[in-house]
Amino acid sequence: MLHMNTESTAYAADIEAVKQVVATVEHSQQHKDPDEFLALFHPDAVWTTAHGKVLIGLDAISEFTHKVLPAANWTGKVSYEVVHVLFIRPDVAAVKVRQRYLSPGDESEAAPLYVMAKQDEGRWLLTACQNTGVVAD
C-alpha cells in the first residue's frame, strides 16, 4: 500500500515518475547494471550505503558502484517497492522503499530512503539517499 502526504490526484504524474525511478533501480540491481543505476543520480548526489559508507558526488558513487554491483554475489531476486511518498515541495520528494533480496533459503530486507529532486525538464533524480538494512526481530 502506497502512503502519501497529499491528494493523490495533484501529484499523480509525479508519483508515477518516482515509481518509475524506483523500478529502474530494481531493474539495474537485478541485472547488475551500474550504468543504468548511475543514470538515475543527480551529479551532486549523496549516497550512504547499507554499511554506512558515505559517497558524495556522482564520481564517488560511480567508482563504488562499478566495483561492487557487477561483482554482487546474490543469486536470487531483488525487489523494490515504493511504500511512502512525502512531497517536501512540489519538486522534492522523500521516498521510502521496501527492498528485498530473495534467494533459495534466504531473504533479507532493507529500508532505503531516497530524496529525489525534479529537474527543470521534469525528470526525477536520486539526490540524497540512505540505504538501511532491516534486522530481523
Side-chain angles (χ1 to χ4, degrees), residues 35-129:
D35 294 324
E36 181 181 39
F37 180 65
L38 293 164
L40 302 171
F41 282 88
H42 186 278
D44 298 323
V46 176
W47 179 268
T48 304
T49 71
H51 301 292
K53 184 172 182 69
V54 178
L55 306 166
I56 299 173
L58 189 55
D59 288 345
I61 297 166
S62 177
E63 181 180 346
F64 176 83
T65 302
H66 275 100
K67 183 172 80 173
V68 174
L69 186 56
N73 63 2
W74 72 82
T75 57
K77 180 180 178 189
V78 59
S79 70
Y80 290 71
E81 175 190 2
V82 174
V83 294
H84 185 80
V85 178
L86 169 66
F87 286 96
I88 299 166
R89 300 183 338 195
D91 62 342
V92 177
V95 182
K96 198 62 184 164
V97 175
R98 181 177 186 213
Q99 173 185 332
R100 297 174 60 212
Y101 290 96
L102 308 166
S103 60
D106 190 29
E107 180 177 334
S108 63
E109 188 171 334
L113 175 64
Y114 300 157
V115 177
M116 296 187 198
K118 187 175 184 179
Q119 306 306 294
D120 290 340
E121 76 280 0
R123 185 170 178 230
W124 286 89
L125 293 178
L126 299 169
T127 305
C129 304

